[in-house]
Amino acid sequence: MKKLSILFLAFVVTSCIPVKIAPKFKNQDYKIIQAKKFQKNMPREMAFIFKDSKDADEFYTYINKKYRLNNVNVGSNVPIKIEGQTLYLSYYEAERTDEMINLPLIAIDAKRENNGNSRLFEDHYKSRTGHWYIILTIHDENIKNCLKENHTLREKTIQYLKALKQEYLTTQNYEALLLTKKS
């Protein structure tokens, strides 16, 4: 039992404890959920959410070039066509973080302070890593969310958004989008 206690103490002293963990989507690289459940300041509507591995403002540039918007209303109500119907795409960017408490550094500083020395690692007790996500919503002309279970275009909308995500993540030169047919 004493060995187990020592092993447990060694594990705790040499580990970091997660305080916040950014979402990781299981079984697929996107999730369709209510945006407000993902991030509190988002609208209360169904959204297609995926992790953005690119730099800041890349999705803005991609949407701007793909739909030839000339920097006008790029993030909201971008008209797209699915099955001959005009739908409206809006997007948001959201950051979620992983935060860890570094127990070894806290323990070292506590020991130093008990010995009458100053703290060395006070600014490094917590570590933080940010992850960015793109949140997409699509509405029809009647302002009905196309990602709701009962919408007639739900499956086609999901296929469209999956293709859009894939094109965004694989395209390096957004100027090349100007040479393709507008969709």
Side-chain angles (χ1 to χ4, degrees):
M1 189 64 162
K2 186 175 181 180
K3 288 181 181 180
L4 187 60
S5 298
I6 292 171
L7 183 63
F8 178 73
L9 182 62
F11 176 73
V12 169
V13 170
T14 61
S15 66
C16 296
I17 297 176
V19 178
K20 276 187 179 179
I21 299 174
K24 292 168 184 50
F25 303 141
K26 296 176 182 162
N27 304 328
Q28 54 200 15
D29 53 356
Y30 68 91
K31 191 158 192 135
I32 298 172
I33 59 171
Q34 194 178 76
K36 190 156 190 81
K37 288 183 180 179
F38 184 78
Q39 184 101 359
K40 289 180 183 176
N41 62 346
M42 293 294 149
R44 191 180 305 265
E45 58 185 313
M46 295 303 286
F48 182 96
I49 303 170
F50 67 94
K51 189 171 182 179
D52 186 7
S53 57
K54 294 192 172 189
D55 293 334
D57 295 326
E58 292 272 335
F59 196 75
Y60 175 94
T61 304
Y62 167 74
I63 294 293
N64 188 43
K65 296 291 184 190
K66 178 171 179 68
Y67 298 105
R68 297 173 174 89
L69 299 173
N70 298 321
N71 297 314
V72 177
N73 294 331
V74 175
S76 61
N77 297 323
V78 176
I80 62 170
K81 292 265 189 203
I82 297 178
E83 293 286 307
Q85 292 187 37
T86 301
L87 305 177
Y88 299 94
L89 170 75
S90 297
Y91 82 90
Y92 309 90
E93 293 177 306
E95 183 185 26
R96 298 290 297 270
T97 60
D98 289 330
E99 292 182 12
M100 305 272 204
I101 295 176
N102 299 315
L103 289 178
L105 300 180
I106 294 171
I108 291 169
D109 274 355
K111 179 68 174 162
R112 287 183 52 80
E113 204 167 48
N114 282 343
N115 292 339
N117 298 319
S118 63
R119 296 179 180 186
L120 291 176
F121 305 110
E122 192 168 9
D123 295 335
H124 303 287
Y125 290 166
K126 270 185 151 180
S127 62
R128 179 186 175 284
T129 305
H131 304 276
W132 285 92
Y133 295 85
I134 303 293
I135 301 170
L136 301 170
T137 60
I138 293 192
H139 294 88
D140 61 17
E141 291 177 332
N142 298 321
I143 313 173
K144 303 280 186 222
N145 188 308
C146 297
L147 293 171
K148 283 192 171 182
E149 289 287 334
N150 60 354
H151 199 282
T152 56
L153 289 175
R154 184 177 197 271
E155 291 307 314
K156 293 289 184 183
T157 301
I158 292 170
Q159 293 305 316
Y160 183 89
L161 292 175
K162 285 164 66 174
L164 185 80
K165 175 189 73 70
Q166 188 62 33
E167 182 182 56
Y168 164 66
L169 292 174
T170 58
T171 301
Q172 300 301 317
N173 179 7
Y174 301 126
E175 297 296 326
L177 294 171
L178 297 173
L179 303 175
T180 62
K181 180 183 162 205
K182 183 178 179 182
S183 56

